[in-house]
Amino acid sequence: MPAYEQHQPVFPGGARCAACLTFDFDAESGWLSRDPSVKDRPGVISQGVYGARVAVPRILELLDAEQLRATFFIPGWVAERHPKPSEMIRDAGHEIGHHGYLHERNRPEDPDQERWNFARGIEALREVLDVRPLGYRSPGWDLTPITLDLVRDAGMLYSSNLMDDAWPYVHPGTSVVELPVQWSVDDAPFFMFHPTYANRTIQIPELVYGAFRDELAAVHEWGGLFNLTMHPQVSGHPARLNELRGLMRALKSMDGVWIATCEEIARFWLETGSKLAR
Ligand code: ZN
């Protein structure tokens, strides 16, 4: 079996590693899609409201202070429910990507519902924000056999959903770039907590962000993509944001790392990187 191909440094500035900071702004939709009955449970819902009310403004302040641009994936329903923070994200110059409508976990046995969710999510971002998203991150990274066709048919530039590579790649026969993800660089498995509805453990911020920094250092050594996935409602709490600030500063201090939005990385890969990497 051939060894996994190690690409040469190909990113702008001779960087061997690209890094993107991504935030899935789910607010209440992550809870409601899992269990619609939580609409009558204000305590559960309040965890999502925190993301819109407190976390997004704080994260925007942090990104502004550190002079970094990020990608926010926003479900259409969240844009409708929380137009103000969604507009703040757009007006600060960050990229906005597609993240479903009500954060539905799409099912292979119901393609019509998935088509509706996909189209409605795009329409809501257009109606509320006048934004046409160029990338799609499926809620929960759940894809079905039709998902990538929907991304391609919508004329999108990239998908950020799959875990089968350490580098971006182009889906065969398309112009859709995949920006691979990993649960190990996602805040939700470590911090998302509810006695009934989610994990039953809460990790220590310093340890989790230490693991993220270790991953960044290792990706820097290997080369490839460091695609950090965060959620305002999860990571927008004080000690976690302090750790995120530390990670941002570590990122900026490293040589040979290209920090960019998902759109920038996908566009570069499609036009240049995939050819250099061969
Ligand atoms: Zn999400």
Coordinates of all heavy atoms in Angstrom, one line a residue, residues 61-92:
E61 N -15.7 40.8 19.4 CA -14.7 41.7 20.1 C -13.3 41.1 20.0 O -12.3 41.8 19.8 CB -15.1 42.0 21.5 CG -16.2 43.0 21.7 CD -16.6 43.2 23.2 OE1 -15.8 42.8 24.1 OE2 -17.6 43.7 23.4
L62 N -13.3 39.8 20.4 CA -12.0 39.1 20.4 C -11.4 39.0 19.0 O -10.2 39.3 18.9 CB -12.2 37.7 21.0 CG -11.0 36.8 21.1 CD1 -9.9 37.4 22.0 CD2 -11.5 35.4 21.7
L63 N -12.2 38.7 18.0 CA -11.6 38.6 16.7 C -11.1 40.0 16.2 O -10.1 40.1 15.6 CB -12.7 38.1 15.7 CG -13.0 36.6 15.9 CD1 -14.3 36.3 15.1 CD2 -11.9 35.7 15.3
D64 N -11.9 41.0 16.6 CA -11.4 42.4 16.2 C -10.1 42.7 16.9 O -9.2 43.3 16.3 CB -12.6 43.4 16.6 CG -12.2 44.8 16.1 OD1 -11.9 45.0 14.9 OD2 -12.2 45.7 17.0
A65 N -10.1 42.4 18.2 CA -8.8 42.8 18.9 C -7.6 42.0 18.4 O -6.5 42.6 18.4 CB -9.0 42.4 20.4
E66 N -7.8 40.8 18.0 CA -6.7 40.0 17.4 C -6.5 40.2 15.9 O -5.7 39.5 15.3 CB -6.9 38.5 17.8 CG -6.9 38.3 19.3 CD -5.6 38.7 20.0 OE1 -4.5 38.6 19.4 OE2 -5.7 39.2 21.1
Q67 N -7.4 41.0 15.3 CA -7.3 41.2 13.9 C -7.4 39.9 13.1 O -6.5 39.7 12.2 CB -6.1 42.0 13.6 CG -6.2 43.5 14.1 CD -7.2 44.3 13.3 OE1 -7.0 44.6 12.1 NE2 -8.3 44.6 13.9
L68 N -8.4 39.1 13.4 CA -8.5 37.9 12.6 C -9.9 37.8 12.0 O -10.9 38.3 12.6 CB -8.3 36.7 13.6 CG -6.9 36.4 14.1 CD1 -6.9 35.4 15.2 CD2 -6.0 35.9 13.0
R69 N -10.0 37.2 10.8 CA -11.3 36.9 10.2 C -11.6 35.5 10.4 O -10.8 34.6 10.3 CB -11.3 37.3 8.7 CG -11.3 38.8 8.5 CD -11.3 39.2 7.0 NE -12.5 38.8 6.4 CZ -12.6 38.1 5.2 NH1 -11.5 37.8 4.6 NH2 -13.7 37.8 4.7
A70 N -12.9 35.2 10.6 CA -13.4 33.9 10.8 C -14.5 33.5 9.9 O -15.0 34.4 9.1 CB -13.8 33.7 12.3
T71 N -14.9 32.3 9.9 CA -16.1 31.8 9.2 C -17.2 31.4 10.2 O -16.9 30.6 11.0 CB -15.7 30.6 8.3 OG1 -14.7 31.0 7.3 CG2 -17.0 30.2 7.5
F72 N -18.4 32.0 10.0 CA -19.5 31.6 10.9 C -20.5 30.8 10.0 O -21.0 31.4 9.0 CB -20.2 32.9 11.5 CG -19.4 33.5 12.5 CD1 -18.3 34.3 12.2 CD2 -19.8 33.4 13.9 CE1 -17.5 34.9 13.2 CE2 -19.0 34.0 14.9 CZ -17.9 34.8 14.5
F73 N -20.8 29.6 10.4 CA -21.9 28.9 9.8 C -23.2 29.1 10.5 O -23.2 28.8 11.7 CB -21.5 27.4 9.7 CG -20.3 27.1 8.8 CD1 -19.1 27.0 9.3 CD2 -20.5 26.9 7.4 CE1 -18.0 26.8 8.5 CE2 -19.4 26.7 6.6 CZ -18.2 26.6 7.1
I74 N -24.2 29.6 9.8 CA -25.4 30.0 10.5 C -26.7 29.3 9.9 O -27.0 29.5 8.8 CB -25.6 31.6 10.4 CG1 -24.4 32.3 10.8 CG2 -26.8 32.0 11.3 CD1 -24.5 33.9 10.8
P75 N -27.4 28.5 10.7 CA -28.7 28.0 10.3 C -29.6 29.1 9.9 O -29.7 30.2 10.6 CB -29.2 27.2 11.5 CG -28.0 26.9 12.3 CD -27.1 28.1 12.1
G76 N -30.4 29.0 8.8 CA -31.3 30.0 8.4 C -32.2 30.5 9.5 O -32.5 31.7 9.7
W77 N -32.7 29.5 10.3 CA -33.7 29.8 11.4 C -33.0 30.8 12.4 O -33.6 31.7 12.9 CB -34.1 28.5 12.0 CG -35.1 28.7 13.1 CD1 -36.5 28.8 13.1 CD2 -34.8 28.9 14.5 NE1 -37.0 28.9 14.3 CE2 -36.0 29.0 15.2 CE3 -33.6 28.9 15.3 CZ2 -36.1 29.2 16.6 CZ3 -33.7 29.1 16.7 CH2 -34.9 29.3 17.3
V78 N -31.7 30.5 12.6 CA -31.0 31.4 13.6 C -30.9 32.8 13.1 O -31.0 33.8 13.8 CB -29.6 30.8 13.9 CG1 -28.8 31.7 14.8 CG2 -29.8 29.4 14.6
A79 N -30.6 33.0 11.8 CA -30.6 34.3 11.2 C -31.9 35.0 11.4 O -32.0 36.2 11.7 CB -30.2 34.3 9.7
E80 N -33.0 34.3 11.2 CA -34.3 34.9 11.3 C -34.6 35.2 12.8 O -35.2 36.3 13.1 CB -35.4 33.9 10.8 CG -35.4 33.7 9.3 CD -36.3 32.6 8.8 OE1 -36.8 31.8 9.7 OE2 -36.5 32.5 7.6
R81 N -34.2 34.3 13.7 CA -34.5 34.5 15.1 C -33.6 35.6 15.7 O -34.0 36.3 16.6 CB -34.3 33.2 15.8 CG -34.5 33.2 17.3 CD -35.9 33.0 17.6 NE -36.1 32.7 19.0 CZ -37.3 32.4 19.6 NH1 -38.4 32.3 18.8 NH2 -37.4 32.2 20.9
H82 N -32.4 35.7 15.3 CA -31.4 36.5 15.9 C -30.7 37.4 14.8 O -29.5 37.3 14.5 CB -30.3 35.7 16.6 CG -30.8 34.9 17.7 ND1 -31.4 35.4 18.9 CD2 -31.0 33.5 17.8 CE1 -31.8 34.4 19.6 NE2 -31.6 33.3 19.0
P83 N -31.5 38.3 14.1 CA -30.9 39.1 13.0 C -29.8 40.0 13.5 O -28.8 40.2 12.8 CB -32.1 39.8 12.5 CG -33.1 39.8 13.6 CD -32.9 38.5 14.3
K84 N -29.9 40.5 14.7 CA -28.9 41.5 15.1 C -27.5 40.9 15.2 O -26.5 41.4 14.6 CB -29.3 42.1 16.5 CG -28.5 43.2 17.0 CD -28.9 44.6 16.6 CE -28.0 45.7 17.0 NZ -27.9 45.8 18.5
P85 N -27.3 39.8 16.0 CA -25.9 39.3 16.0 C -25.5 38.7 14.7 O -24.3 38.8 14.4 CB -26.0 38.2 17.1 CG -27.4 37.9 17.4 CD -28.2 39.2 17.0
S86 N -26.4 38.3 13.9 CA -26.1 37.8 12.6 C -25.6 38.9 11.7 O -24.6 38.8 11.0 CB -27.3 37.1 11.9 OG -27.7 36.0 12.7
E87 N -26.2 40.1 11.8 CA -25.8 41.3 11.0 C -24.4 41.7 11.6 O -23.6 42.2 10.8 CB -26.8 42.4 11.2 CG -28.1 42.1 10.4 CD -29.2 43.1 10.8 OE1 -29.0 44.0 11.6 OE2 -30.3 42.9 10.3
M88 N -24.2 41.6 12.9 CA -22.9 42.1 13.4 C -21.8 41.2 12.8 O -20.7 41.7 12.5 CB -22.9 41.9 15.0 CG -23.8 43.0 15.7 SD -24.1 42.5 17.4 CE -22.4 42.7 18.1
I89 N -22.1 39.9 12.7 CA -21.0 39.0 12.1 C -20.7 39.5 10.7 O -19.6 39.6 10.3 CB -21.6 37.6 12.1 CG1 -21.6 37.1 13.6 CG2 -20.7 36.7 11.3 CD1 -22.4 35.8 13.7
R90 N -21.8 39.7 9.9 CA -21.6 40.1 8.5 C -20.9 41.4 8.4 O -20.0 41.6 7.7 CB -23.0 40.2 7.8 CG -23.0 40.7 6.4 CD -24.3 41.2 6.0 NE -24.7 42.3 6.8 CZ -26.0 42.9 6.8 NH1 -26.9 42.3 6.0 NH2 -26.3 43.9 7.5
D91 N -21.4 42.4 9.2 CA -20.8 43.8 9.1 C -19.4 43.8 9.6 O -18.7 44.8 9.3 CB -21.7 44.7 9.9 CG -23.1 44.8 9.3 OD1 -23.3 44.4 8.1 OD2 -24.0 45.3 9.9
A92 N -19.0 42.9 10.4 CA -17.6 42.9 10.9 C -16.6 42.3 9.8 O -15.4 42.2 10.0 CB -17.4 42.1 12.2

